[in-house]
Structures are given as structure tokens and as C-alpha cells.
């Protein structure tokens, strides 16, 4: 158990190798925080930490994650309102001295992890970063993988034109509503997507006019330019797809995609490929496969080796 610093709507616990953020669940707490509940952020997932004046007699301690370290922030892509940023801890101004102490302690921990993070090697005498009045150097090297755990378990939310659900590991489904879905989506029918067939997620906050969640398939197949006509997307509207449900959904799917990307591709056994080519040749000789089809399929099989 490390030191604890309690602020408005959240508490930070400082462990030897991580920052643990626990969110309050009161009526004034943003609903996104209530859904997230707790997040463990390893020091290697952080780029920097600052302390700045806040509004109405407060100060704000702000931990900044490295690019690519947190699936939630990657999915949000800078669209979160300031008060919904899970890395901000708001404190009364009379606790500024205490906040400075923890800022410096956390900076020292980051400097020990990566001495270049603040632009100079850390020393026992001067472990902290440049003053916040300036621009502190940061470790902005993108993380090679997600270092903060995504929202766990199955996820679902109701959009304007349908319901989106994710089983938590491998499958995303869109079920269209009778009233909101476009004719293009009704013609395509309800959709089920395998995570292994996706390369990304595009989330546009429901707080803006064109808010939507769109799945990006591998291969770059042509698709409708408008999300309301694209069967690989659901659109938000007034009261639909709220941030506290749709953003954790997007983050969970994105994390599953990245996990799938890191699984080595299965390589076909040479013997199995040879047998399939032999069978293909028999079909070709029997006139059941054209010359073009034979050449294309043979090349495809050889590429599996």
C-alpha cells in the first residue's frame, strides 16, 4: 500500500511502480469515472506529470499518458471534455504544497524509469523536472503495446440506429432498430464482426453532431462515406451512445484488435499446402477450374508457406 492523495471525485495511490486511480461514485462524479471505477497505470505508461492552477480556488495534478499506452485515451483521440479526463486530480488550493510534493515524487519515479524523460539524468539532489511555468520535457515515445488494462467484460450500448454489443474478446454485433436505421443498413441486415477481421475503431463523441462508432475492416474495402449508411458503424444522437458507455466499448474493442494483431499468424504446414495444390490441379484438369482461377488460387496457397 502506497501513499494516498484524495481529491475531488478521485483518489490517487502512489505505488512503487504504478499510479492507482480510484474514482468516487457520487452524484457529481462524471458517469465515465463511475464506470471506470479504478485504473492501475504503470509508470512506464506515463509521459509526464504537471501541477497547474485550476478553477475556483483549486489546483490540478495532471498525469499525462504516453501515446499508445492507454486504449481508453487512444479511442478518445483527444475528444474528452476536461472534466472527464481520468488523469486529472482536482484539489483545493490550500493543498498545493502537498500536491507539489507528490508531483515531485512521481516525476522522480518517472525519471528513474527513463532518465531522459525530463531531458536530464535524475540525481538524488535534483530528481524533479523543470518548473511548471516552463514546458517540461516528456517521454512521448509511443508505447509498443497497451500498458493500461482496457475496460473488462462484455460491453453494450444503445445507439440511435441500433444496439452495439461486444462479447469481450472476439465478436462485435450491431442490431438495427426499426426507427433509426437507414435503408442501406436494413438491406445489409444485422451485422456481426470478428475482431480478427478488424484493424481499428473510429469513435466520434456523442457530444458532437456527427457522433458515431465505426469499425474499420482490414483490407480497406470500399464503404459508405457517411456513418449512417455504413453497416460497419452505429450513429449517436441526442441521448444515445453516451460517452460513459460508448467510449469504454470502443476502448475494449480496440484493445482486443491490438491483442489479436500481436498473435503470430498461423503458418500452414508444407505438406497440407502441397495436398491442396494437388487437389486444385485435379479440378483444373477436370475442367472445373479455369486457368485464371487455378493460377490465382495456387499463388494464394503458396503465399501461406
Amino acid at each position: 500500500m502506497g501513499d494516498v492523495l484524495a481529491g475531488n471525485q478521485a483518489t490517487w495511490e502512489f505505488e512503487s511502480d504504478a499510479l492507482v486511480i480510484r474514482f468516487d461514485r457520487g452524484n457529481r462524479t462524471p458517469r465515465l469515472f463511475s464506470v471506470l471505477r479504478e485504473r492501475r497505470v504503470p509508470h512506464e505508461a506515463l509521459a509526464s506529470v504537471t501541477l497547474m492552477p485550476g478553477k475556483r480556488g483549486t489546483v490540478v495534478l495532471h498525469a499525462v499518458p504516453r501515446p499508445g499506452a492507454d486504449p481508453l485515451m487512444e479511442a478518445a483521440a483527444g475528444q474528452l471534455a476536461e472534466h472527464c479526463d481520468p488523469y486529472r486530480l482536482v484539489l483545493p488550493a490550500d493543498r498545493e504544497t502537498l500536491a507539489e510534493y507528490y508531483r515531485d515524487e512521481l516525476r522522480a519515479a518517472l525519471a528513474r524509469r527513463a532518465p531522459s524523460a525530463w531531458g536530464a539524468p535524475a540525481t538524488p539532489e535534483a530528481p524533479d523536472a523543470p518548473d511548471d511555468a516552463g514546458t517540461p520535457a516528456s517521454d512521448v515515445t509511443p508505447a509498443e503495446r497497451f500498458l493500461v488494462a482496457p475496460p473488462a467484460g462484455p460491453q453494450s450500448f444503445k445507439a440511435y440506429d441500433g444496439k452495439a454489443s461486444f462479447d469481450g474478446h472476439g465478436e462485435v454485433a450491431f442490431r438495427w432498430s426499426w426507427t433509426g436505421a437507414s435503408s442501406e443498413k436494413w438491406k445489409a441486415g444485422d451485422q456481426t464482426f470478428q475482431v480478427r477481421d478488424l484493424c481499428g475503431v473510429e469513435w466520434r463523441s456523442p457530444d458532437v453532431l456527427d457522433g458515431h462508432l465505426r469499425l474499420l475492416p482490414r483490407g480497406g474495402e470500399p464503404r459508405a462515406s457517411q456513418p449512417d449508411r455504413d453497416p460497419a458503424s452505429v450513429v449517436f444522437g441526442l441521448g444515445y451512445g453516451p460517452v460513459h458507455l460508448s467510449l469504454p466499448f470502443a476502448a475494449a474493442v480496440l484493445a482486443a484488435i491490438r491483442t489479436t494483431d500481436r498473435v503470430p499468424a498461423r503458418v500452414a504446414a508444407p505438406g497440407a499446402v502441397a495436398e491442396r495444390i494437388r487437389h486444385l490441379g485435379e479440378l483444373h484438369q477436370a475442367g472445373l477450374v479455369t486457368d485464371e482461377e487455378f493460377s490465382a488460387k495456387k499463388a494464394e496457397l503458396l503465399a501461406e508457406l
Side-chain angles (χ1 to χ4, degrees), residues 137-175:
S138 301
D139 180 8
V140 294
T141 307
E144 296 181 357
R145 59 184 177 83
F146 288 137
L147 301 169
V148 181
Q155 304 275 334
S156 67
F157 68 91
K158 187 177 181 181
Y160 172 73
D161 59 356
K163 181 180 179 180
S165 59
F166 174 48
D167 63 5
H169 58 275
E171 188 173 282
V172 183
F174 293 159
R175 301 289 178 259

Side-chain angles (χ1 to χ4, degrees), residues 128-231:
D128 55 334
D131 186 85
D132 281 325
T135 303
S138 301
D139 180 8
V140 294
T141 307
E144 296 181 357
R145 59 184 177 83
F146 288 137
L147 301 169
V148 181
Q155 304 275 334
S156 67
F157 68 91
K158 187 177 181 181
Y160 172 73
D161 59 356
K163 181 180 179 180
S165 59
F166 174 48
D167 63 5
H169 58 275
E171 188 173 282
V172 183
F174 293 159
R175 301 289 178 259
W176 308 124
S177 70
W178 285 96
T179 55
S182 64
S183 59
E184 289 85 355
K185 290 183 177 180
W186 272 112
K187 289 178 183 178
D190 292 343
Q191 299 290 299
T192 300
F193 304 88
Q194 301 302 314
V195 166
R196 64 174 177 270
D197 297 328
L198 303 174
C199 66
V201 177
E202 179 183 272
W203 182 79
R204 292 292 177 267
S205 173
D207 294 337
V208 299
L209 260 180
D210 61 346
H212 64 268
L213 182 141
R214 173 179 267 175
L215 304 177
L216 307 179
R218 297 183 189 276
E221 296 88 349
R223 65 178 193 269
S225 59
Q226 298 299 321
D228 64 334
R229 298 180 180 180
D230 182 2

Side-chain angles (χ1 to χ4, degrees), residues 1-288:
M1 181 74 71
D3 290 352
V4 173
L5 180 61
N8 298 348
Q9 303 173 343
T11 299
W12 285 13
E13 181 178 341
F14 300 86
E15 296 185 347
S16 60
D17 61 346
L19 171 65
V20 179
I21 304 173
R22 296 186 177 90
F23 300 102
D24 296 344
R25 303 189 68 184
N27 292 333
R28 294 188 176 184
T29 300
R31 298 183 74 181
L32 176 62
F33 294 177
S34 298
V35 169
L36 296 176
R37 296 189 180 184
E38 179 178 313
R39 314 199 81 212
R40 187 177 190 277
V41 185
H43 289 162
E44 62 179 323
L46 294 175
S48 62
V49 57
T50 62
L51 178 65
M52 302 294 287
K55 299 177 182 178
R56 295 185 293 276
T58 63
V59 292
V60 179
L61 198 56
H62 188 202
V64 181
R66 289 170 58 195
D70 184 348
L72 188 85
M73 303 308 285
E74 289 297 298
Q79 299 174 76
L80 280 179
E82 189 177 79
H83 72 278
C84 284
D85 184 342
Y87 287 91
R88 297 174 79 251
L89 184 66
V90 180
L91 300 155
D94 60 10
R95 305 189 73 192
E96 182 174 4
T97 300
L98 184 61
E100 288 177 346
Y101 168 79
Y102 283 109
R103 176 203 62 187
D104 294 344
E105 287 292 302
L106 187 51
R107 283 179 170 180
L110 299 186
R112 286 193 294 270
R113 173 187 57 80
S116 63
W118 299 109
T123 66
E125 294 78 16
D128 55 334
D131 186 85
D132 281 325
T135 303
S138 301
D139 180 8
V140 294
T141 307
E144 296 181 357
R145 59 184 177 83
F146 288 137
L147 301 169
V148 181
Q155 304 275 334
S156 67
F157 68 91
K158 187 177 181 181
Y160 172 73
D161 59 356
K163 181 180 179 180
S165 59
F166 174 48
D167 63 5
H169 58 275
E171 188 173 282
V172 183
F174 293 159
R175 301 289 178 259
W176 308 124
S177 70
W178 285 96
T179 55
S182 64
S183 59
E184 289 85 355
K185 290 183 177 180
W186 272 112
K187 289 178 183 178
D190 292 343
Q191 299 290 299
T192 300
F193 304 88
Q194 301 302 314
V195 166
R196 64 174 177 270
D197 297 328
L198 303 174
C199 66
V201 177
E202 179 183 272
W203 182 79
R204 292 292 177 267
S205 173
D207 294 337
V208 299
L209 260 180
D210 61 346
H212 64 268
L213 182 141
R214 173 179 267 175
L215 304 177
L216 307 179
R218 297 183 189 276
E221 296 88 349
R223 65 178 193 269
S225 59
Q226 298 299 321
D228 64 334
R229 298 180 180 180
D230 182 2
S233 68
V234 290
V235 298
F236 307 144
L238 186 62
Y240 294 95
V243 170
H244 71 281
L245 295 179
S246 61
L247 180 56
F249 183 104
V253 174
L254 182 60
I257 292 171
R258 297 283 178 87
T259 299
T260 300
D261 287 344
R262 294 177 65 84
V263 175
R266 185 173 61 185
V267 178
V273 172
E275 177 61 23
R276 291 167 68 185
I277 291 177
R278 184 191 64 77
H279 179 63
L280 181 65
E282 292 175 352
L283 295 176
H284 181 233
Q285 290 180 357
L288 299 176

